[in-house]
Amino acid sequence: MDDREAGDPRIRFAAALTRLRGRLPDVSDETLARRASAVELPSGRRVAVNARRLGEWAGGQSVPRRFEAVMALVQAVERAAGGASADQPTVAHWQRLWRAARDHRSSPAPGQQPHSQPQIVIGRPPGDAAALRRRDGLAESIDAGIRDASVRQILLTGAGGVGKSQLASAAFHRAKQRAEILLWVPAGDRLSVLGSYARAWRALSGARIESIAGEAPAFGTDPGGDDETQADLFLTWLRSTTTPWLVVLDDIDDPGELAGLWPAGDAGRTVLATRRRDATLLRPGVRVIAVGVFTADEATAYLADRLLLDLGPAAGHHEPPVHRREDLAALAAALGHFPLALSQAAAFLIDTGMDLPTYLSLLADRRESVAGLLPPSSPADEHGGTVTSTLQLALGRAESLAPPGTARAMLELISMFAPDGIPEAVLLGPAGRDWLGGDTVPQRGALLALRALHRLSLVTHHGPAGAAVVEVHSLVQRAIRDGVPADRRERLATAAADALEEMWSAPDCEPETETALYRSAEVLLANAGGDLWHGGGLHPLLRRFGPHLTALGRPAAARDMAQGLADQALRRLGDGHRDVLTLRSQAAQAAGDLGDTTAAVRSLAEIRREAEDSLGSADPDTLSIRLHEARFRMESGLIDAALADFGTLAAEARVTLGAGDPLVTAADEYVALCRGLSGDTHGARDAYASIARELERDLGPRHPATLKVLTDLSRWIGETGDVRLAVTTYQQAVDGLASVVGRLHPETLVARHNLAYWHAIAGDLDGAIEQFDTAADDAELALGAEHPTTLTYQVNLAFWRGVAGDTAAAPGRLERLRRTLERVLGADHPRTLRARQQEAELLHRGGDHATAAERLATLLADMVRVQGANHPRTREARQLLARWSREPAAAGSQDLNATE
């Protein structure tokens, strides 16, 4: 027992409670409070024990008003711990401790003035919500702000229903340990604030201020006058007094209405609770504390405690909880951990007796409305509104801050996208602004609408510093979609798709932006249903899904998405429609990217014939299908046939589409590539040089397309024997791409990887390994650890480390990567087969010639089965095996081609 405990009965009582509490260290305050509330005392009564109060009692901040609460707590601990401990105080001793603590007025903490008179507490904070969460991190932030001498106001801001008032109420009660004047003000309008201030002044006038603060009576202590006068006197007194005070302005609706009514004074602090984030509130001396939704654990624990209250021991039930924890977690996630929604859902379940799985099924049904799932007949604890009414109240206020109709229309548009990371440009671009009004709304008007929603905490707009994106709660989105009239839903879905397509089709759209657009496009597809399908076909946005997933290294997902859309298109549009053919083509391409190039050629040939019959041979969609058919013919090893196809396609497309069309350029590039793969390395170099000159003339030397072709040209410069020039040209391409499209752009990653390869071929193994290492790290950062490109770069890094002499570690690393490739891409994927060949080569270099030859022979049989006998990689493996057979002691092949 320390000196403070010996001299202060409150501290002695708190220490005894702390020792009692220590017997159950793994039980939360919420659980212990619930168990104590369920204890039946000898009198037959039960007492309610609040978790927050329990913490205050153990911390010495307050003392229970009734001794029955102490006994309930003691009995709850003893039952859970298996009986009383040897040093446990008796009931009589507990009563003496409690009574002494209640009767004692403790000494003030350092810096506090002594309480020689009872505090003046005015106003009625909301009661504690059932199953209240303490949210210790936010509570500590509030208390730290109150203690900070540089802070005058603590601003609790967040959406309606996240628990701001509960946090402010808890802070109000905690402040009774340090403040002598405490005022709780319902701040919904100016009259309410004036009335509260006037009431406070009357209370002060009736008290003996001189005896409380040791100062002369304040000027004007006559309580006479109207509310306005008395409010002015109260605010004047706050500025001049040395008496510690705290004022809470709860639920501020319009900061502008409170002009001239903000409390100020060195002796006190003000806590503001509001959904607003206006410039009026964001001033020097204000500590902003953003109040968001519960964490996943907090939300699940809340539901567990709240639903147990009607089912636990207090109700005479002693069975285990009837709700499974995984169902509780699923409900919390479905409601986005939103406190008000959780409270309403719990009330609805209790009131209706519905089981959780049934309610979860209703939540998953898009036909069900938020208002129906969270009705006013099952209100939340200590909150006057429902999720829907709270949202509509905030939206109504936001509409008054923006051009007529734009705030609601903006929120409708936002409701169609992913809840996190909506690019600002999607909402403020021409297509987005078209939705906001009959005539296109100016960008300034659209920005005002967006910022109005932000000011009311309906959305969060991050900008202008950093990434300019918008976030919104998914439940807000669903409630807003519920309110869109049926005759406007198709137009809203089309407007949202137009806004995404507009940004996605921009030439400077970066990969990170494309990822954000895809997330929103996925959500839009789920929300829009059939509204993105029209009589003429599907919205162009839907064509982007498959290619985007393929670019991310997810060919299986691309295949499934394209096939699913193709099936829908077939039902809605009929066989032979261009959208049906395009989506089927995407599915076939994705299947080919998974490794089955032969099947891809067959499928694309069939689709191409149908397209020629339905659309014509010169139609752009038909030409695109022909391009990919030839590409997979090339990848299956039929180089000469592919070269002929690409040549014919390039000539026909140039006539139909024009020389500068991207499809024409792509066909020309494949012609050049096929020449090189067929053995005409000089022809490939000359063809790529010609394409590079044309692009430089038409687009400029720094255009991404020009720089991309420069990387292709660099390869064939090296293949013709000019290795040093290849390294120099690759370095030029890498530097240009990094500065124009960014270090992590896919084209930059490919160029750097191939630069590393040519460093190795030039004999600069240290420079090669450095570049391979950078390329692998950048690919992992940009694409993920198990993206096919990342794995390919890591495989080549491990291989060249082995070539450089790391024969101990490199083979094991390469084997582990090959197993990862088998798991991610499959055993027959070309990249997996390539890794097996590199494993065999490292074994041969390490001196294990027999095992290397055996593995290469097995691999060769698999290559013939999967890729065909004439595939370039198959031929390369066959030649390598033959060389090993002739030269058993050869150091290994230098004919590797690690480029993509």
Side-chain angles (χ1 to χ4, degrees), residues 75-106:
Q75 291 187 33
V77 172
E78 289 180 350
R79 290 179 184 178
S85 64
D87 59 348
Q88 180 72 34
T90 64
V91 174
H93 187 55
W94 273 115
Q95 193 163 24
R96 287 195 297 272
L97 285 173
W98 169 78
R99 183 171 289 114
R102 286 290 297 169
D103 294 344
H104 179 76
R105 295 194 175 277
S106 62

PDB file of all heavy atoms in Angstrom, residues 75-106:
ATOM      1  N   GLN A  75     -19.646 -10.841  -6.344  1.00  0.00           N
ATOM      2  CA  GLN A  75     -20.186 -12.183  -6.552  1.00  0.00           C
ATOM      3  C   GLN A  75     -19.934 -12.688  -7.972  1.00  0.00           C
ATOM      4  O   GLN A  75     -19.656 -13.878  -8.176  1.00  0.00           O
ATOM      5  CB  GLN A  75     -21.681 -12.198  -6.238  1.00  0.00           C
ATOM      6  CG  GLN A  75     -21.980 -12.011  -4.751  1.00  0.00           C
ATOM      7  CD  GLN A  75     -23.462 -12.208  -4.438  1.00  0.00           C
ATOM      8  OE1 GLN A  75     -24.131 -13.007  -5.083  1.00  0.00           O
ATOM      9  NE2 GLN A  75     -23.959 -11.470  -3.450  1.00  0.00           N
ATOM     10  N   ALA A  76     -19.983 -11.787  -8.956  1.00  0.00           N
ATOM     11  CA  ALA A  76     -19.714 -12.195 -10.338  1.00  0.00           C
ATOM     12  C   ALA A  76     -18.281 -12.683 -10.479  1.00  0.00           C
ATOM     13  O   ALA A  76     -18.009 -13.685 -11.163  1.00  0.00           O
ATOM     14  CB  ALA A  76     -19.985 -11.039 -11.290  1.00  0.00           C
ATOM     15  N   VAL A  77     -17.331 -11.991  -9.837  1.00  0.00           N
ATOM     16  CA  VAL A  77     -15.930 -12.402  -9.912  1.00  0.00           C
ATOM     17  C   VAL A  77     -15.728 -13.733  -9.192  1.00  0.00           C
ATOM     18  O   VAL A  77     -15.051 -14.643  -9.690  1.00  0.00           O
ATOM     19  CB  VAL A  77     -15.018 -11.304  -9.326  1.00  0.00           C
ATOM     20  CG1 VAL A  77     -13.574 -11.815  -9.217  1.00  0.00           C
ATOM     21  CG2 VAL A  77     -15.078 -10.051 -10.183  1.00  0.00           C
ATOM     22  N   GLU A  78     -16.301 -13.847  -8.003  1.00  0.00           N
ATOM     23  CA  GLU A  78     -16.114 -15.080  -7.231  1.00  0.00           C
ATOM     24  C   GLU A  78     -16.680 -16.288  -7.979  1.00  0.00           C
ATOM     25  O   GLU A  78     -16.082 -17.361  -7.996  1.00  0.00           O
ATOM     26  CB  GLU A  78     -16.781 -14.940  -5.861  1.00  0.00           C
ATOM     27  CG  GLU A  78     -16.040 -13.983  -4.924  1.00  0.00           C
ATOM     28  CD  GLU A  78     -16.729 -13.860  -3.573  1.00  0.00           C
ATOM     29  OE1 GLU A  78     -17.863 -14.364  -3.439  1.00  0.00           O
ATOM     30  OE2 GLU A  78     -16.128 -13.247  -2.666  1.00  0.00           O
ATOM     31  N   ARG A  79     -17.849 -16.131  -8.618  1.00  0.00           N
ATOM     32  CA  ARG A  79     -18.430 -17.245  -9.361  1.00  0.00           C
ATOM     33  C   ARG A  79     -17.540 -17.652 -10.539  1.00  0.00           C
ATOM     34  O   ARG A  79     -17.330 -18.837 -10.789  1.00  0.00           O
ATOM     35  CB  ARG A  79     -19.819 -16.864  -9.872  1.00  0.00           C
ATOM     36  CG  ARG A  79     -20.866 -16.737  -8.781  1.00  0.00           C
ATOM     37  CD  ARG A  79     -22.204 -16.331  -9.385  1.00  0.00           C
ATOM     38  NE  ARG A  79     -23.206 -16.112  -8.351  1.00  0.00           N
ATOM     39  CZ  ARG A  79     -24.458 -15.718  -8.596  1.00  0.00           C
ATOM     40  NH1 ARG A  79     -24.836 -15.519  -9.854  1.00  0.00           N
ATOM     41  NH2 ARG A  79     -25.319 -15.516  -7.612  1.00  0.00           N
ATOM     42  N   ALA A  80     -17.005 -16.648 -11.247  1.00  0.00           N
ATOM     43  CA  ALA A  80     -16.180 -16.956 -12.416  1.00  0.00           C
ATOM     44  C   ALA A  80     -14.819 -17.505 -12.028  1.00  0.00           C
ATOM     45  O   ALA A  80     -14.236 -18.321 -12.751  1.00  0.00           O
ATOM     46  CB  ALA A  80     -16.010 -15.700 -13.276  1.00  0.00           C
ATOM     47  N   ALA A  81     -14.293 -17.067 -10.847  1.00  0.00           N
ATOM     48  CA  ALA A  81     -12.952 -17.476 -10.422  1.00  0.00           C
ATOM     49  C   ALA A  81     -12.969 -18.729  -9.562  1.00  0.00           C
ATOM     50  O   ALA A  81     -11.919 -19.208  -9.131  1.00  0.00           O
ATOM     51  CB  ALA A  81     -12.273 -16.333  -9.670  1.00  0.00           C
ATOM     52  N   GLY A  82     -14.152 -19.234  -9.242  1.00  0.00           N
ATOM     53  CA  GLY A  82     -14.230 -20.465  -8.467  1.00  0.00           C
ATOM     54  C   GLY A  82     -14.229 -20.264  -6.964  1.00  0.00           C
ATOM     55  O   GLY A  82     -13.832 -21.165  -6.213  1.00  0.00           O
ATOM     56  N   GLY A  83     -14.680 -19.094  -6.503  1.00  0.00           N
ATOM     57  CA  GLY A  83     -14.763 -18.848  -5.067  1.00  0.00           C
ATOM     58  C   GLY A  83     -13.925 -17.659  -4.636  1.00  0.00           C
ATOM     59  O   GLY A  83     -13.174 -17.072  -5.426  1.00  0.00           O
ATOM     60  N   ALA A  84     -14.067 -17.299  -3.352  1.00  0.00           N
ATOM     61  CA  ALA A  84     -13.347 -16.147  -2.817  1.00  0.00           C
ATOM     62  C   ALA A  84     -11.884 -16.507  -2.597  1.00  0.00           C
ATOM     63  O   ALA A  84     -11.541 -17.649  -2.288  1.00  0.00           O
ATOM     64  CB  ALA A  84     -13.979 -15.687  -1.503  1.00  0.00           C
ATOM     65  N   SER A  85     -10.993 -15.539  -2.775  1.00  0.00           N
ATOM     66  CA  SER A  85      -9.573 -15.754  -2.509  1.00  0.00           C
ATOM     67  C   SER A  85      -9.308 -15.643  -1.017  1.00  0.00           C
ATOM     68  O   SER A  85     -10.135 -15.143  -0.241  1.00  0.00           O
ATOM     69  CB  SER A  85      -8.736 -14.727  -3.276  1.00  0.00           C
ATOM     70  OG  SER A  85      -9.020 -13.425  -2.813  1.00  0.00           O
ATOM     71  N   ALA A  86      -8.098 -16.082  -0.595  1.00  0.00           N
ATOM     72  CA  ALA A  86      -7.769 -16.096   0.838  1.00  0.00           C
ATOM     73  C   ALA A  86      -7.747 -14.691   1.430  1.00  0.00           C
ATOM     74  O   ALA A  86      -8.109 -14.492   2.593  1.00  0.00           O
ATOM     75  CB  ALA A  86      -6.420 -16.792   1.049  1.00  0.00           C
ATOM     76  N   ASP A  87      -7.314 -13.706   0.638  1.00  0.00           N
ATOM     77  CA  ASP A  87      -7.217 -12.338   1.146  1.00  0.00           C
ATOM     78  C   ASP A  87      -8.404 -11.475   0.738  1.00  0.00           C
ATOM     79  O   ASP A  87      -8.351 -10.259   0.815  1.00  0.00           O
ATOM     80  CB  ASP A  87      -5.916 -11.693   0.660  1.00  0.00           C
ATOM     81  CG  ASP A  87      -5.836 -11.655  -0.858  1.00  0.00           C
ATOM     82  OD1 ASP A  87      -6.660 -12.319  -1.510  1.00  0.00           O
ATOM     83  OD2 ASP A  87      -4.937 -10.957  -1.377  1.00  0.00           O
ATOM     84  N   GLN A  88      -9.486 -12.121   0.287  1.00  0.00           N
ATOM     85  CA  GLN A  88     -10.656 -11.372  -0.165  1.00  0.00           C
ATOM     86  C   GLN A  88     -11.333 -10.671   1.010  1.00  0.00           C
ATOM     87  O   GLN A  88     -11.598 -11.292   2.048  1.00  0.00           O
ATOM     88  CB  GLN A  88     -11.663 -12.325  -0.832  1.00  0.00           C
ATOM     89  CG  GLN A  88     -12.925 -11.660  -1.337  1.00  0.00           C
ATOM     90  CD  GLN A  88     -12.644 -10.819  -2.564  1.00  0.00           C
ATOM     91  OE1 GLN A  88     -11.801 -11.149  -3.362  1.00  0.00           O
ATOM     92  NE2 GLN A  88     -13.311  -9.701  -2.662  1.00  0.00           N
ATOM     93  N   PRO A  89     -11.622  -9.341   0.931  1.00  0.00           N
ATOM     94  CA  PRO A  89     -12.323  -8.656   2.024  1.00  0.00           C
ATOM     95  C   PRO A  89     -13.697  -9.278   2.273  1.00  0.00           C
ATOM     96  O   PRO A  89     -14.343  -9.797   1.361  1.00  0.00           O
ATOM     97  CB  PRO A  89     -12.434  -7.212   1.519  1.00  0.00           C
ATOM     98  CG  PRO A  89     -11.368  -7.074   0.483  1.00  0.00           C
ATOM     99  CD  PRO A  89     -11.248  -8.417  -0.149  1.00  0.00           C
ATOM    100  N   THR A  90     -14.123  -9.186   3.531  1.00  0.00           N
ATOM    101  CA  THR A  90     -15.466  -9.646   3.862  1.00  0.00           C
ATOM    102  C   THR A  90     -16.490  -8.642   3.369  1.00  0.00           C
ATOM    103  O   THR A  90     -16.155  -7.529   2.959  1.00  0.00           O
ATOM    104  CB  THR A  90     -15.612  -9.813   5.377  1.00  0.00           C
ATOM    105  OG1 THR A  90     -15.457  -8.515   5.991  1.00  0.00           O
ATOM    106  CG2 THR A  90     -14.557 -10.768   5.926  1.00  0.00           C
ATOM    107  N   VAL A  91     -17.773  -9.047   3.428  1.00  0.00           N
ATOM    108  CA  VAL A  91     -18.830  -8.127   3.016  1.00  0.00           C
ATOM    109  C   VAL A  91     -18.791  -6.867   3.873  1.00  0.00           C
ATOM    110  O   VAL A  91     -18.917  -5.739   3.365  1.00  0.00           O
ATOM    111  CB  VAL A  91     -20.202  -8.817   3.124  1.00  0.00           C
ATOM    112  CG1 VAL A  91     -21.316  -7.816   2.850  1.00  0.00           C
ATOM    113  CG2 VAL A  91     -20.296  -9.997   2.149  1.00  0.00           C
ATOM    114  N   ALA A  92     -18.590  -7.041   5.166  1.00  0.00           N
ATOM    115  CA  ALA A  92     -18.544  -5.871   6.052  1.00  0.00           C
ATOM    116  C   ALA A  92     -17.381  -4.962   5.689  1.00  0.00           C
ATOM    117  O   ALA A  92     -17.502  -3.724   5.720  1.00  0.00           O
ATOM    118  CB  ALA A  92     -18.435  -6.324   7.516  1.00  0.00           C
ATOM    119  N   HIS A  93     -16.234  -5.577   5.385  1.00  0.00           N
ATOM    120  CA  HIS A  93     -15.080  -4.762   5.013  1.00  0.00           C
ATOM    121  C   HIS A  93     -15.330  -4.019   3.695  1.00  0.00           C
ATOM    122  O   HIS A  93     -14.971  -2.841   3.558  1.00  0.00           O
ATOM    123  CB  HIS A  93     -13.837  -5.648   4.894  1.00  0.00           C
ATOM    124  CG  HIS A  93     -12.568  -4.870   4.668  1.00  0.00           C
ATOM    125  ND1 HIS A  93     -12.149  -3.869   5.507  1.00  0.00           N
ATOM    126  CD2 HIS A  93     -11.632  -4.959   3.673  1.00  0.00           C
ATOM    127  CE1 HIS A  93     -11.016  -3.357   5.054  1.00  0.00           C
ATOM    128  NE2 HIS A  93     -10.683  -4.016   3.931  1.00  0.00           N
ATOM    129  N   TRP A  94     -15.928  -4.714   2.722  1.00  0.00           N
ATOM    130  CA  TRP A  94     -16.275  -4.044   1.464  1.00  0.00           C
ATOM    131  C   TRP A  94     -17.197  -2.852   1.735  1.00  0.00           C
ATOM    132  O   TRP A  94     -17.025  -1.785   1.136  1.00  0.00           O
ATOM    133  CB  TRP A  94     -16.982  -5.009   0.509  1.00  0.00           C
ATOM    134  CG  TRP A  94     -16.074  -5.815  -0.365  1.00  0.00           C
ATOM    135  CD1 TRP A  94     -15.913  -7.152  -0.350  1.00  0.00           C
ATOM    136  CD2 TRP A  94     -15.209  -5.321  -1.380  1.00  0.00           C
ATOM    137  NE1 TRP A  94     -15.000  -7.552  -1.285  1.00  0.00           N
ATOM    138  CE2 TRP A  94     -14.546  -6.433  -1.955  1.00  0.00           C
ATOM    139  CE3 TRP A  94     -14.920  -4.052  -1.868  1.00  0.00           C
ATOM    140  CZ2 TRP A  94     -13.624  -6.313  -2.981  1.00  0.00           C
ATOM    141  CZ3 TRP A  94     -13.999  -3.917  -2.903  1.00  0.00           C
ATOM    142  CH2 TRP A  94     -13.360  -5.038  -3.439  1.00  0.00           C
ATOM    143  N   GLN A  95     -18.151  -3.034   2.652  1.00  0.00           N
ATOM    144  CA  GLN A  95     -19.090  -1.950   2.931  1.00  0.00           C
ATOM    145  C   GLN A  95     -18.380  -0.766   3.568  1.00  0.00           C
ATOM    146  O   GLN A  95     -18.667   0.393   3.255  1.00  0.00           O
ATOM    147  CB  GLN A  95     -20.219  -2.453   3.844  1.00  0.00           C
ATOM    148  CG  GLN A  95     -21.400  -1.488   3.938  1.00  0.00           C
ATOM    149  CD  GLN A  95     -22.626  -2.170   4.498  1.00  0.00           C
ATOM    150  OE1 GLN A  95     -22.531  -3.169   5.205  1.00  0.00           O
ATOM    151  NE2 GLN A  95     -23.804  -1.656   4.193  1.00  0.00           N
ATOM    152  N   ARG A  96     -17.410  -1.058   4.491  1.00  0.00           N
ATOM    153  CA  ARG A  96     -16.658   0.038   5.100  1.00  0.00           C
ATOM    154  C   ARG A  96     -15.820   0.777   4.051  1.00  0.00           C
ATOM    155  O   ARG A  96     -15.759   2.019   4.065  1.00  0.00           O
ATOM    156  CB  ARG A  96     -15.769  -0.501   6.215  1.00  0.00           C
ATOM    157  CG  ARG A  96     -16.527  -0.922   7.480  1.00  0.00           C
ATOM    158  CD  ARG A  96     -15.588  -1.105   8.659  1.00  0.00           C
ATOM    159  NE  ARG A  96     -14.615  -2.190   8.426  1.00  0.00           N
ATOM    160  CZ  ARG A  96     -14.850  -3.459   8.729  1.00  0.00           C
ATOM    161  NH1 ARG A  96     -16.025  -3.824   9.248  1.00  0.00           N
ATOM    162  NH2 ARG A  96     -13.934  -4.385   8.505  1.00  0.00           N
ATOM    163  N   LEU A  97     -15.176   0.016   3.165  1.00  0.00           N
ATOM    164  CA  LEU A  97     -14.388   0.660   2.111  1.00  0.00           C
ATOM    165  C   LEU A  97     -15.267   1.547   1.236  1.00  0.00           C
ATOM    166  O   LEU A  97     -14.906   2.693   0.902  1.00  0.00           O
ATOM    167  CB  LEU A  97     -13.705  -0.401   1.236  1.00  0.00           C
ATOM    168  CG  LEU A  97     -12.498  -1.135   1.805  1.00  0.00           C
ATOM    169  CD1 LEU A  97     -12.085  -2.256   0.864  1.00  0.00           C
ATOM    170  CD2 LEU A  97     -11.334  -0.160   2.000  1.00  0.00           C
ATOM    171  N   TRP A  98     -16.416   1.008   0.843  1.00  0.00           N
ATOM    172  CA  TRP A  98     -17.311   1.761  -0.049  1.00  0.00           C
ATOM    173  C   TRP A  98     -17.829   3.026   0.620  1.00  0.00           C
ATOM    174  O   TRP A  98     -17.820   4.110   0.030  1.00  0.00           O
ATOM    175  CB  TRP A  98     -18.468   0.849  -0.460  1.00  0.00           C
ATOM    176  CG  TRP A  98     -19.584   1.595  -1.170  1.00  0.00           C
ATOM    177  CD1 TRP A  98     -19.597   2.011  -2.448  1.00  0.00           C
ATOM    178  CD2 TRP A  98     -20.824   2.026  -0.589  1.00  0.00           C
ATOM    179  NE1 TRP A  98     -20.766   2.668  -2.743  1.00  0.00           N
ATOM    180  CE2 TRP A  98     -21.540   2.689  -1.612  1.00  0.00           C
ATOM    181  CE3 TRP A  98     -21.397   1.902   0.678  1.00  0.00           C
ATOM    182  CZ2 TRP A  98     -22.798   3.239  -1.393  1.00  0.00           C
ATOM    183  CZ3 TRP A  98     -22.663   2.434   0.894  1.00  0.00           C
ATOM    184  CH2 TRP A  98     -23.348   3.099  -0.132  1.00  0.00           C
ATOM    185  N   ARG A  99     -18.267   2.901   1.916  1.00  0.00           N
ATOM    186  CA  ARG A  99     -18.842   4.054   2.597  1.00  0.00           C
ATOM    187  C   ARG A  99     -17.787   5.145   2.806  1.00  0.00           C
ATOM    188  O   ARG A  99     -18.060   6.340   2.629  1.00  0.00           O
ATOM    189  CB  ARG A  99     -19.445   3.625   3.937  1.00  0.00           C
ATOM    190  CG  ARG A  99     -20.124   4.794   4.672  1.00  0.00           C
ATOM    191  CD  ARG A  99     -20.908   4.329   5.872  1.00  0.00           C
ATOM    192  NE  ARG A  99     -22.111   3.614   5.478  1.00  0.00           N
ATOM    193  CZ  ARG A  99     -22.332   2.323   5.694  1.00  0.00           C
ATOM    194  NH1 ARG A  99     -21.412   1.597   6.307  1.00  0.00           N
ATOM    195  NH2 ARG A  99     -23.447   1.752   5.309  1.00  0.00           N
ATOM    196  N   ALA A 100     -16.574   4.727   3.176  1.00  0.00           N
ATOM    197  CA  ALA A 100     -15.519   5.727   3.378  1.00  0.00           C
ATOM    198  C   ALA A 100     -15.208   6.457   2.079  1.00  0.00           C
ATOM    199  O   ALA A 100     -14.991   7.672   2.067  1.00  0.00           O
ATOM    200  CB  ALA A 100     -14.254   5.053   3.917  1.00  0.00           C
ATOM    201  N   ALA A 101     -15.187   5.714   0.975  1.00  0.00           N
ATOM    202  CA  ALA A 101     -14.905   6.342  -0.320  1.00  0.00           C
ATOM    203  C   ALA A 101     -16.029   7.286  -0.726  1.00  0.00           C
ATOM    204  O   ALA A 101     -15.780   8.366  -1.276  1.00  0.00           O
ATOM    205  CB  ALA A 101     -14.715   5.269  -1.386  1.00  0.00           C
ATOM    206  N   ARG A 102     -17.272   6.901  -0.447  1.00  0.00           N
ATOM    207  CA  ARG A 102     -18.408   7.771  -0.801  1.00  0.00           C
ATOM    208  C   ARG A 102     -18.401   9.043   0.012  1.00  0.00           C
ATOM    209  O   ARG A 102     -18.743  10.123  -0.504  1.00  0.00           O
ATOM    210  CB  ARG A 102     -19.717   7.021  -0.545  1.00  0.00           C
ATOM    211  CG  ARG A 102     -20.046   5.943  -1.534  1.00  0.00           C
ATOM    212  CD  ARG A 102     -20.416   6.481  -2.901  1.00  0.00           C
ATOM    213  NE  ARG A 102     -21.625   7.304  -2.868  1.00  0.00           N
ATOM    214  CZ  ARG A 102     -22.058   8.053  -3.868  1.00  0.00           C
ATOM    215  NH1 ARG A 102     -21.353   8.100  -4.979  1.00  0.00           N
ATOM    216  NH2 ARG A 102     -23.162   8.747  -3.784  1.00  0.00           N
ATOM    217  N   ASP A 103     -18.016   8.942   1.265  1.00  0.00           N
ATOM    218  CA  ASP A 103     -18.109  10.111   2.153  1.00  0.00           C
ATOM    219  C   ASP A 103     -16.907  11.031   2.038  1.00  0.00           C
ATOM    220  O   ASP A 103     -16.932  12.166   2.560  1.00  0.00           O
ATOM    221  CB  ASP A 103     -18.244   9.650   3.610  1.00  0.00           C
ATOM    222  CG  ASP A 103     -19.569   8.925   3.849  1.00  0.00           C
ATOM    223  OD1 ASP A 103     -20.474   9.069   2.987  1.00  0.00           O
ATOM    224  OD2 ASP A 103     -19.675   8.213   4.856  1.00  0.00           O
ATOM    225  N   HIS A 104     -15.836  10.562   1.400  1.00  0.00           N
ATOM    226  CA  HIS A 104     -14.602  11.342   1.368  1.00  0.00           C
ATOM    227  C   HIS A 104     -14.540  12.224   0.124  1.00  0.00           C
ATOM    228  O   HIS A 104     -14.893  11.800  -0.965  1.00  0.00           O
ATOM    229  CB  HIS A 104     -13.395  10.405   1.370  1.00  0.00           C
ATOM    230  CG  HIS A 104     -12.072  11.124   1.313  1.00  0.00           C
ATOM    231  ND1 HIS A 104     -11.539  11.754   2.406  1.00  0.00           N
ATOM    232  CD2 HIS A 104     -11.193  11.309   0.298  1.00  0.00           C
ATOM    233  CE1 HIS A 104     -10.379  12.290   2.073  1.00  0.00           C
ATOM    234  NE2 HIS A 104     -10.148  12.031   0.783  1.00  0.00           N
ATOM    235  N   ARG A 105     -14.069  13.437   0.306  1.00  0.00           N
ATOM    236  CA  ARG A 105     -13.810  14.314  -0.831  1.00  0.00           C
ATOM    237  C   ARG A 105     -12.300  14.321  -1.039  1.00  0.00           C
ATOM    238  O   ARG A 105     -11.556  14.858  -0.236  1.00  0.00           O
ATOM    239  CB  ARG A 105     -14.319  15.738  -0.591  1.00  0.00           C
ATOM    240  CG  ARG A 105     -15.833  15.781  -0.477  1.00  0.00           C
ATOM    241  CD  ARG A 105     -16.335  17.197  -0.580  1.00  0.00           C
ATOM    242  NE  ARG A 105     -17.779  17.223  -0.585  1.00  0.00           N
ATOM    243  CZ  ARG A 105     -18.516  17.027  -1.663  1.00  0.00           C
ATOM    244  NH1 ARG A 105     -17.945  16.790  -2.812  1.00  0.00           N
ATOM    245  NH2 ARG A 105     -19.830  17.040  -1.607  1.00  0.00           N
ATOM    246  N   SER A 106     -11.864  13.680  -2.146  1.00  0.00           N
ATOM    247  CA  SER A 106     -10.434  13.458  -2.351  1.00  0.00           C
ATOM    248  C   SER A 106      -9.716  14.749  -2.678  1.00  0.00           C
ATOM    249  O   SER A 106     -10.310  15.728  -3.125  1.00  0.00           O
ATOM    250  CB  SER A 106     -10.227  12.469  -3.484  1.00  0.00           C
ATOM    251  OG  SER A 106     -10.753  12.982  -4.680  1.00  0.00           O
TER     252      SER A 106
END
